[in-house]
Amino acid sequence: MDLDKKARKPFVFKSAYYLSLYTKRRAKNLKELAAGIREADAGTIFHHVFHTVFAKHLLRPYYNNDFAIWVAEELNDENLAIELSSISGAEPATVEDVRKELLAVLEPRADERPARREFVFVSMVPITYETGLKAETLAEFLDAIGAAPAESVAYHFVTARVLGSGRNDFSKWLEEEFGLIEAAEALSRIDPLIFNNEEELKSEVVRTLERELL
């Protein structure tokens, strides 16, 4: 593999910080939770399902999204919480795919049992910026992704994909610029929801790239 061949378009590394927006929507029971998930904007679903990847947990949470945690802690429904926590965050899931999966689990069980505390829906908006890192060749790409902040890797691998086309930016670039279908697919198989924080996700992305490209 020619690691020094130039791409037609360089990969420009961006990153993001996330502005939280508190909505007026709340849920007191499963019926209201399902209605909230059905009607919430994309930023709300993204925030409550994927923010654990962006958090700095020392220990992995037992449930991997806020809806499952609320069902377990405020309704004592462990079986439903486990089902909600089994939602896949892997490609090609976009936020609308995740919404459908959540509702498929929740709506048949949506009753009016009162929860101890309300669920408060919070939305978010990613504010993106360029990091100053750029790669024109595969060698530069490997160096840059190793040097990039974990937040940048998570932005390209999770945010851009879940709120966009359903494909992470790294796989798209490798396939479109170099025809590296197998390497692109290997990256696409990584499910970000199994990682505790951005550093762990970045390490897996770098390991996969080094295995496929070197």
Side-chain angles (χ1 to χ4, degrees):
M1 186 177 301
D2 184 358
L3 296 180
D4 295 318
K5 180 183 175 183
K6 280 197 172 183
R8 290 164 299 178
K9 285 176 59 179
F11 191 97
V12 178
F13 284 80
K14 299 178 181 177
S15 192
Y17 64 91
Y18 300 87
L19 185 64
S20 295
L21 303 171
Y22 287 87
T23 72
K24 294 180 179 178
R25 181 175 284 278
R26 293 167 180 261
K28 299 188 295 292
N29 53 50
L30 291 175
K31 192 173 180 181
E32 292 181 359
L33 185 70
I37 290 172
R38 193 183 314 113
E39 295 166 13
D41 63 18
T44 299
I45 303 299
F46 181 83
H47 170 79
H48 288 297
V49 173
F50 288 93
H51 83 87
T52 54
V53 182
F54 300 93
K56 310 294 182 189
H57 296 294
L58 294 176
L59 297 174
R60 178 170 175 73
Y62 190 73
Y63 302 108
N64 68 2
N65 66 71
D66 292 343
F67 304 122
I69 293 170
W70 183 78
V71 166
E73 294 183 352
E74 307 303 335
L75 285 166
N76 285 330
D77 192 333
E78 187 176 344
N79 290 334
L80 181 55
I82 290 170
E83 286 187 55
L84 288 171
S85 197
S86 68
I87 298 299
S88 172
E91 286 187 27
T94 64
V95 75
E96 294 308 325
D97 297 320
V98 171
R99 189 199 306 270
K100 286 178 189 171
E101 268 203 80
L102 289 168
L103 289 175
V105 172
L106 197 53
E107 284 186 326
R109 314 265 287 275
D111 56 32
E112 297 185 11
R113 281 175 290 162
R116 281 193 290 264
R117 288 190 301 177
E118 293 179 328
F119 185 92
V120 179
F121 287 86
V122 178
S123 186
M124 67 87 222
V125 175
I127 309 297
T128 60
Y129 58 93
E130 293 189 6
T131 64
L133 291 167
K134 187 170 72 173
E136 293 185 309
T137 67
L138 292 173
E140 290 175 357
F141 183 63
L142 287 170
D143 288 342
I145 205 166
E151 292 85 356
S152 172
V153 175
Y155 168 75
H156 288 291
F157 198 78
V158 184
T159 310
R161 184 259 297 183
V162 176
L163 293 176
S165 65
R167 195 95 197 269
N168 75 81
D169 289 343
F170 303 138
S171 290
K172 282 194 289 188
W173 190 72
L174 291 173
E175 196 167 320
E176 290 171 4
E177 296 299 323
F178 299 100
L180 294 171
I181 295 172
E182 289 184 12
E185 289 299 320
L187 282 178
S188 295
R189 285 193 290 272
I190 298 173
D191 182 350
L193 287 181
I194 70 171
F195 298 98
N196 214 22
N197 56 57
E198 296 156 322
E199 292 291 346
E200 290 182 1
L201 174 62
K202 175 185 169 180
S203 296
E204 181 60 24
V205 169
V206 171
R207 272 196 297 272
T208 301
L209 282 169
E210 290 178 344
R211 187 176 66 239
E212 296 292 329
L213 302 182
L214 297 181

